[in-house]
Amino acid sequence: MSAAALAHDIRPAPIITPQAAIAQADLAKAGPVLNDYSFGGYLIFAGIPTFIDGRGELYGGPFIDRYNRAVALVDLGDFLKLLDEYKIGATLLAPRTPAVAMLDRLPQWQRVYSDDVAVVHKRRDAPLR
């Protein structure tokens, strides 16, 4: 391996590395996690199953469109349905995602962590079965 390759920093950009959020909120034990698209790679690295990640061909266009519309709150009803349908136990979203502000207002969800990279909410009640 060349010295140039060794000197190159291969760590992901901090803005897509929710390391502190994952550790502080104990996401590995939270159940299914609805994650920000850009956090998918890091969740895979951390061994936490993703809701969505950069492998779009695995999900298909309709799923990706539904996800994008849901977290942007284009269809609030579908966002709430998605949380229940997939038995989401926690969310890991970028702070400016519209769904973050909605989760802050929902009584069954509690913000348990936030920083400039990620916000984590956990479902207050037992996960749906």
Side-chain angles (χ1 to χ4, degrees), residues 32-121:
V33 176
L34 177 70
N35 63 280
D36 189 273
Y37 181 87
S38 66
F39 297 156
Y42 192 82
L43 285 173
I44 292 169
F45 168 77
I48 298 172
T50 63
F51 184 81
I52 196 166
D53 58 58
R55 302 170 296 170
E57 68 280 0
L58 296 178
Y59 301 100
F63 180 87
I64 293 170
D65 288 343
R66 181 181 183 200
Y67 164 83
N68 285 328
R69 291 175 55 81
V71 297
L73 298 182
V74 172
D75 184 341
L76 175 59
D78 194 46
F79 172 66
L80 299 173
K81 182 179 175 185
L82 186 136
L83 293 171
D84 290 340
E85 180 180 330
Y86 288 93
K87 298 175 177 60
I88 300 299
T91 63
L92 175 68
L93 299 169
R96 291 196 172 117
T97 305
V100 168
M102 177 53 61
L103 289 162
D104 282 339
R105 290 166 177 80
L106 294 173
Q108 64 269 39
W109 290 88
Q110 178 180 10
R111 183 186 285 222
V112 296
Y113 181 84
S114 66
D115 62 20
D116 60 338
V117 175
V119 177
V120 176
H121 286 86

